[in-house]
Amino acid sequence: MTNIKEIKNDLLKDSYYEIDHSSGFKIFVYPKENFSSSYAVFGTKYGSIDTCFKVEGNEKFTEVPEGIAHFLEHKLFESEELDAFARYAKTGASANAYTSFDKTCYLFSCTGNFEDSLEILLDFVSNPYFTEQTVQKEQGIIGQEIRMYEDEPGWESLFVLLRAMYHEHPVRIDIAGTVESISHITADLLYECYNTFYNPANMALAVAGNVTVEQVLKIADKMLKPKESKKIERKFCKEPATVVEKTAMKNLSVAMPIFAIGFKEDVKTPLRTLKESMESNILLDIIAGPTSSLYEEMLNDNLINTTFDTEYFEGYGYSAHIFNGESTDYEKVRERINQEITKLMETGVDEESFQRIKKKHYGSLIMDFDSIDSISNSLISAYFNGEGIFDQLKLLESITVEDVNRRLKEAFNIENSSMSVIKNKEGK
Amino acid sequence: MNNIAYTEISKSVRILCVNTDKFKTNCIKVDFYLPIGEYFPAQNVLASYMGHTSKKYSTVKAFNSKVEGMYDACFDTTVSTVGEKVRIRFSMEILDDKFSIDGNSISQEAVDFLVEILSNPNATENGFDEELTTREIRFTLENIEAMKNDKRAYAVSRLRQLMCKDEPYGIDNEKLEEGVRNLDGKQLLDAYKDMLKTATVVITACGSVDSEMLKDKFEAFAEKIENRNPAELETVFVTKADEIRYFKEEMDVNQAKLVIGLRAGMKDSNDDYFAYRVMTDIFGGGPYSRLFLNVREKMSLCYYCGARLIREKGIILIQSGIEEENYEKALSEILNQLDIMKKGEFTDEDFNSSIIALCDAFKGVEDSPVAVCNFYSSQEFDEKIISGEEFAKKIGAVTREQVIECAKRVSVDTVYLLKGEENND
């Protein structure tokens, strides 16, 4: 039995359909009037942090090599006959996939032949095919992908920071693993991960754009077969509140030192609520956003340049507020940010700044609904977090300055912060 | 099909307005096109300066608060080159008026803001503010220098400089930095006046922005500029490379970056453009392309290997990240694939995959306000402005023979490798 529920938003004048498909899969369809293209994402709640897990009923936890979720993503495109890219080449769709800390998503966008392309997507993700030879071939390609990231200072700066903040949590490992770790991946291990994480209870399909529910169901009915849903247990590792080190350096050739300062939150439960993440984002804008006094002062004092930005970084078992930028005097930047946070903890956030930032977030939330890729990807992430994509708009109204002040006190502890610095080798 | 209004409001000041109510965002871009010349360093600083301060909104906080107050309008100023034209761009993405909480028109406020900062920079009759000029020079220098952080982009910029050494296109970043370093507020004011007087101005808008309002406000803006005298905008097209030049440079990199510059053989940006677009795509476009299938999939030499056509200059760039020891192997396979293109030995499947993928992509180009603005503004100097649908039709009409003819006109000009340092410790 397939159940369809329409979810509307009066402000946006948009609606989408949440479908419990007879196969056990969750499907979302978000039609966009007058759009020519469609965008589909088929995702599983399985990312780089899932290195230790067990299926309910099993006794022992299984540990797998770092980078295996990403490796699996690459390998799923292959099949015994035509690989997925060769099949998409006949429909004209533009296809891709990505692996993050907590999910793996396969996607395509197209204007024509939507149904054929959706069939390809559902087919190749549902039918794994790995051999030792194809696994070996991929080790060369992914090895070069890892090497490419090693030359990207912004990326390196995030991971140096994560390793400085986290003792145990697997968020500290690189999404693609290392050249060494992926050398231990075998076809059997790939099948084991696939069979654990690629099942209806752990996956969802989201489509937005020039599509109808009927079109999507026609293909879903044909391609998605009922499959045993598995309950997966993730190891929620004991992560101390403290950081590993206050400052971590790495040498790479850069024009100017690149820093990332992270405030680690001592999380008692695996996930933050949606409201808490929204409060965090508002807070970051208040502390050091483009209209904050701190931002202007640091610009005028030659401490930062216009690359400076902030990010709220969170997922299963981790949460941190991060400040990124370029500076020759990064220690001074850290000092200024710490001072500002201490000051705000004492005085509280002022109502005027709060209202201005809230209005900004109202605008950016709505603008996100113009992009069918953003809508589809958000439908998947929101679902994996137990939320709906209209929830933020409703919640924003209810957030008060007291909420933000509370969040500041619970999430920031200067003692539990780290800084990563990427800079040139001495003498360069 | 969208409703497109195109008007020339005065000499070389044009407005292109794509009216549609399908978006929740409106997008407005004001582009000033100038030749690459003596003002180039100053133009780089000018864009940064005008993006952070104006007479009315002089501090960063006041300026950004104004922008943020328009419901998180995304405002940006950039300088880039389009062929051998400099483009100084002021762009805004704003929330559609229908979501305004107080009922005020956000689009009108945004257009007023654009006209205000363009008309009244933070300057006196003697020049731009010296202190702020110093700050903006710092931002600009750090921005140019920061290109070294992105090794792939840095390798491309080095190739461009080496390959087009004797053409304005071959921008020398060191010279640019020197020029920027020596600027003062007076020179910035001169560059600003020159921009208003000599640029070709193109305003592109998409969404529900009232095209009459836009026209009236920019007409008033243009009328105030005295002695407008738009400069000629030309790009030199070198149609053939005499011999292949090889360069290797060292940097502290983990993975070597290979960039190859080809002369496409185009005489101008319209010369067989659609056939060249298809040819470059079969050669190194999507995952169905010759380079992806052979250099990456068959030989496992890299994660990325692709080619793109720079239409406005008639060159093709190939990029790949490889282990240095695989340099000869990768280079020879890339050139082998180019040869296959020239001999017409690519398959019908290669050809069809490319046509269908390109047509599909162009048909969807009008599904975001920013993409709409970019798509139409990129055609400003073409013979005729056409829609995404028409674009796809022209791609679909390209024949196999035309592709082979284009490939035959391609010549390899420069091969550049950025590799790790010897004695890497």
Side-chain angles (χ1 to χ4, degrees):
Chain A
M1 209 11 218
T2 294
N3 281 314
I4 307 175
K5 191 166 83 184
E6 184 181 3
I7 295 161
K8 286 188 188 172
N9 183 285
D10 294 337
L11 174 69
L12 298 173
K13 295 197 169 56
D14 274 5
S15 60
Y16 70 92
Y17 300 87
E18 181 178 339
I19 303 162
D20 287 307
H21 190 248
S22 54
S23 59
F25 284 93
K26 183 69 101 175
I27 301 175
F28 299 94
V29 182
Y30 196 124
K32 284 289 249 179
E33 222 175 298
N34 299 323
F35 271 58
S36 311
S37 12
S38 323
Y39 187 101
V41 198
F42 196 19
T44 167
K45 192 174 172 180
Y46 171 47
S48 65
I49 61 171
D50 297 306
T51 50
C52 193
F53 52 83
K54 70 172 186 179
V55 173
E56 202 180 53
N58 289 2
E59 264 183 35
K60 279 207 299 202
F61 277 94
T62 306
E63 251 195 280
V64 290
E66 298 178 355
I68 194 164
H70 171 259
F71 204 100
L72 182 53
E73 173 226 298
H74 271 240
K75 286 327 297 170
L76 262 194
F77 278 86
E78 262 170 36
S79 74
E80 209 166 347
E81 288 145 22
L82 272 187
D83 73 36
F85 279 131
R87 295 173 69 188
Y88 281 126
K90 295 190 193 323
T91 68
S94 165
N96 212 335
Y98 65 88
T99 306
S100 65
F101 291 100
D102 54 8
K103 58 182 178 295
T104 312
C105 292
Y106 302 83
L107 55 97
F108 72 84
S109 68
C110 68
T111 50
N113 304 322
F114 168 76
E115 292 176 23
D116 292 338
S117 295
L118 184 61
E119 188 169 325
I120 297 169
L121 175 69
L122 300 185
D123 186 39
F124 86 84
V125 177
S126 307
N127 293 297
Y129 173 76
F130 321 119
T131 65
E132 292 309 331
Q133 286 81 0
T134 62
V135 167
Q136 262 176 28
K137 185 206 85 177
E138 210 64 24
Q139 276 157 350
I141 296 171
I142 296 179
Q144 286 310 309
E145 187 179 2
I146 294 170
R147 300 277 279 160
M148 177 183 84
Y149 281 114
E150 285 171 0
D151 280 332
E152 292 182 10
W155 183 257
E156 282 297 309
S157 139
L158 173 66
F159 280 92
V160 173
L161 175 69
L162 293 175
R163 284 190 279 273
M165 285 197 292
Y166 289 91
H167 298 262
E168 301 291 336
H169 196 288
V171 72
R172 68 198 304 282
I173 62 177
D174 272 294
I175 290 174
T178 62
V179 173
E180 203 277 326
S181 75
I182 63 168
S183 71
H184 301 296
I185 292 173
T186 61
D188 284 347
L189 275 174
L190 289 175
Y191 277 114
E192 185 173 351
C193 291
Y194 180 86
N195 290 328
T196 306
F197 292 100
Y198 286 68
N199 66 74
N202 201 49
M203 296 182 75
L205 168 70
V207 187
N210 181 21
V211 283
T212 62
V213 170
E214 291 70 32
Q215 272 179 303
V216 176
L217 283 184
K218 186 178 141 196
I219 304 302
D221 289 348
K222 182 176 163 194
M223 302 305 296
L224 295 176
K225 303 288 171 235
K227 211 168 147 185
E228 188 198 350
S229 277
K230 291 181 180 162
K231 198 151 182 219
I232 303 153
E233 209 179 303
R234 291 171 171 82
K235 211 171 187 179
F236 182 53
C237 52
K238 276 204 191 96
E239 174 64 38
T242 56
V243 296
V244 181
E245 48 187 344
K246 294 296 277 179
T247 310
M249 304 263 182
K250 181 168 180 167
N251 289 330
L252 267 184
S253 135
V254 284
M256 193 196 291
I258 292 179
F259 67 84
I261 300 167
F263 292 81
K264 179 180 175 181
E265 184 178 356
D266 181 14
V267 298
K268 306 285 188 236
T269 52
L271 288 168
R272 264 25 61 225
T273 64
L274 184 62
K275 185 155 173 269
E276 284 166 335
S277 359
M278 293 173 72
E279 289 161 359
S280 282
N281 282 309
I282 293 175
L283 202 47
L284 284 168
D285 267 332
I286 290 173
I287 299 169
T291 53
S292 66
S293 302
L294 178 65
Y295 179 74
E296 173 148 36
E297 283 159 21
M298 290 198 294
L299 278 182
N300 289 340
D301 293 346
N302 297 340
L303 285 176
I304 55 167
N305 58 30
T306 49
T307 59
F308 181 83
D309 67 7
T310 62
E311 175 189 1
Y312 178 52
F313 180 83
E314 60 113 17
Y316 191 87
Y318 59 91
S319 163
H321 294 78
I322 301 178
F323 301 82
N324 300 297
E326 300 176 358
S327 182
T328 45
D329 198 352
Y330 38 84
E331 284 296 350
K332 192 93 196 156
V333 175
R334 166 149 69 180
E335 199 182 307
R336 288 282 185 92
I337 292 174
N338 285 347
Q339 279 169 2
E340 183 66 18
I341 290 168
T342 313
K343 191 188 96 193
L344 281 173
M345 280 187 180
E346 284 163 14
T347 61
V349 168
D350 71 282
E351 183 70 27
E352 193 197 321
S353 309
F354 171 72
Q355 290 302 343
R356 189 183 64 241
I357 304 293
K358 210 168 145 177
K359 189 174 171 190
K360 165 186 174 173
H361 285 243
Y362 166 85
S364 60
L365 277 179
I366 296 176
M367 290 197 267
D368 279 345
F369 286 93
D370 258 346
S371 149
I372 54 174
D373 47 347
S374 157
I375 290 171
S376 311
N377 284 299
S378 301
L379 279 165
I380 298 276
S381 342
Y383 169 64
F384 287 164
N385 289 333
E387 297 143 5
I389 54 166
F390 294 147
D391 295 0
Q392 290 202 47
L393 273 168
K394 281 180 229 151
L395 270 175
L396 182 67
E397 192 50 43
S398 72
I399 295 177
T400 63
V401 70
E402 288 77 24
D403 289 329
V404 173
N405 281 319
R406 188 210 74 248
R407 184 82 187 122
L408 175 68
K409 286 185 177 149
E410 76 190 14
F412 283 83
N413 180 342
I414 290 167
E415 286 308 306
N416 300 335
S417 65
S418 303
M419 174 165 71
S420 72
V421 180
I422 305 292
K423 56 178 198 171
N424 282 332
K425 274 186 222 159
E426 289 302 325
K428 297 217 171 185
Chain B
M1 177 68 190
N2 289 312
N3 176 17
I4 300 173
Y6 188 70
T7 21
E8 176 134 17
I9 53 176
S10 71
K11 198 177 173 195
S12 296
V13 182
R14 306 191 278 264
I15 296 188
L16 196 152
C17 201
V18 181
N19 266 108
T20 167
D21 59 5
K22 78 176 181 183
F23 300 122
K24 296 171 170 56
T25 313
N26 296 316
C27 179
I28 307 165
K29 291 185 192 290
V30 185
D31 294 335
F32 292 83
Y33 288 96
L34 298 137
I36 300 178
E38 53 166 332
Y39 283 116
F40 188 56
Q43 286 157 351
N44 275 269
V45 183
L46 185 64
S48 181
Y49 189 106
M50 292 178 74
H52 299 132
T53 175
S54 77
K55 188 156 265 172
K56 192 165 174 189
Y57 310 103
S58 62
T59 66
V60 169
K61 189 168 178 165
F63 196 95
N64 288 345
S65 296
K66 172 68 188 170
V67 175
E68 210 169 79
M70 287 184 265
Y71 303 89
D72 197 25
C74 303
F75 169 76
D76 201 13
T77 57
T78 52
V79 178
S80 55
T81 52
V82 180
E84 281 164 0
K85 299 185 279 288
V86 181
R87 183 182 66 200
I88 306 175
R89 168 168 276 184
F90 298 79
S91 63
M92 278 194 103
E93 279 165 67
I94 43 165
L95 190 64
D96 192 88
D97 288 352
K98 59 179 172 270
F99 297 106
S100 165
I101 297 171
D102 53 17
N104 291 339
S105 164
I106 309 167
S107 56
Q108 188 160 333
E109 193 180 343
V111 174
D112 284 337
F113 173 74
L114 280 170
V115 172
E116 168 66 32
I117 61 161
L118 288 170
S119 315
N120 300 305
N122 190 356
T124 64
E125 58 194 23
N126 299 321
F128 279 36
D129 182 272
E130 288 302 342
E131 207 172 306
L132 292 175
T133 299
T134 308
R135 182 185 76 186
E136 298 299 331
I137 286 175
R138 172 172 79 88
F139 292 163
T140 309
L141 287 174
E142 288 177 5
N143 188 26
I144 301 168
E145 276 280 310
M147 191 183 284
K148 288 186 189 147
N149 298 347
D150 182 345
K151 310 296 182 276
R152 287 189 278 170
Y154 174 75
V156 169
S157 85
R158 286 295 297 147
L159 172 106
R160 176 174 164 169
Q161 187 186 336
L162 294 162
M163 174 167 162
C164 305
K165 191 167 62 73
D166 301 321
E167 301 150 58
Y169 194 72
I171 288 162
D172 179 339
N173 277 336
E174 276 176 28
K175 262 193 205 152
L176 174 61
E177 283 181 50
E178 199 186 310
V180 168
R181 215 171 279 124
N182 294 324
L183 287 168
D184 59 29
K186 166 78 175 58
Q187 286 162 301
L188 277 197
L189 180 63
D190 290 343
Y192 166 73
K193 285 183 179 162
D194 177 75
M195 173 181 93
L196 292 191
K197 205 173 131 185
T198 69
T200 293
V201 188
V202 177
I203 300 132
T204 319
C206 172
S208 66
V209 181
D210 177 353
S211 55
E212 282 304 309
M213 179 268 294
L214 191 68
K215 189 171 148 249
D216 291 347
K217 298 209 185 243
F218 274 98
E219 238 164 19
F221 164 73
E223 269 168 23
K224 283 195 201 129
I225 307 167
E226 288 167 10
N227 310 319
R228 277 265 305 157
N229 184 20
E232 286 289 325
L233 297 166
E234 269 179 288
T235 297
V236 179
F237 278 68
V238 176
T239 52
K240 201 171 177 327
D242 298 328
E243 54 173 353
I244 308 182
R245 289 175 299 162
Y246 296 88
F247 296 92
K248 280 189 186 178
E249 290 183 334
E250 288 185 4
M251 199 184 202
D252 184 10
V253 291
N254 290 298
Q255 180 190 54
K257 318 292 173 201
L258 173 63
V259 191
I260 306 171
L262 315 175
R263 300 285 181 183
M266 294 166 81
K267 289 192 284 295
D268 58 59
S269 61
N270 290 310
D271 183 14
D272 280 333
Y273 165 66
F274 293 95
Y276 269 107
R277 187 78 175 77
V278 176
M279 192 277 294
T280 313
D281 196 64
I282 300 171
F283 177 52
Y288 44 77
S289 70
R290 306 286 318 178
L291 293 181
F292 186 93
L293 289 177
N294 291 285
V295 186
R296 170 175 148 142
E297 292 296 308
K298 209 172 263 171
M299 301 175 75
S300 282
L301 288 176
C302 59
Y303 172 64
Y304 68 93
C305 184
R308 66 191 158 94
L309 173 67
I310 299 173
R311 174 186 189 176
E312 297 82 6
K313 179 65 186 165
I315 60 182
I316 294 168
L317 288 186
I318 303 166
Q319 278 180 267
S320 186
I322 51 169
E323 288 303 315
E324 192 195 331
E325 71 215 34
N326 291 329
Y327 167 66
E328 300 288 345
K329 223 194 268 179
L331 177 61
S332 108
E333 183 56 25
I334 291 168
L335 298 180
N336 175 40
Q337 290 303 326
L338 181 62
D339 224 35
I340 286 173
M341 295 303 301
K342 286 173 181 280
K343 288 184 190 146
E345 288 170 359
F346 54 87
T347 65
D348 285 341
E349 203 182 333
D350 295 337
F351 176 77
N352 293 335
S353 299
S354 173
I355 296 274
I356 190 170
L358 286 175
C359 288
D360 194 280
F362 280 112
K363 280 180 195 161
V365 82
E366 300 191 30
D367 279 347
S368 115
V370 176
V372 169
C373 278
N374 288 342
F375 177 71
Y376 284 103
S377 68
S378 75
Q379 297 183 59
E380 265 304 325
F381 298 92
D382 293 353
E383 286 155 349
K384 190 175 167 237
I385 290 182
I386 59 175
S387 68
E389 197 68 49
E390 289 167 295
F391 217 89
K393 257 188 218 147
K394 289 195 184 269
I395 293 276
V398 170
T399 64
R400 213 188 134 84
E401 288 65 39
Q402 287 172 311
V403 167
I404 301 169
E405 279 316 303
C406 288
K408 283 183 180 161
R409 284 156 68 187
V410 172
S411 52
V412 182
D413 188 301
T414 303
V415 176
Y416 174 84
L417 186 77
L418 182 67
K419 61 187 192 95
E421 290 162 344
E422 310 276 336
N423 307 321
N424 209 1
D425 52 337

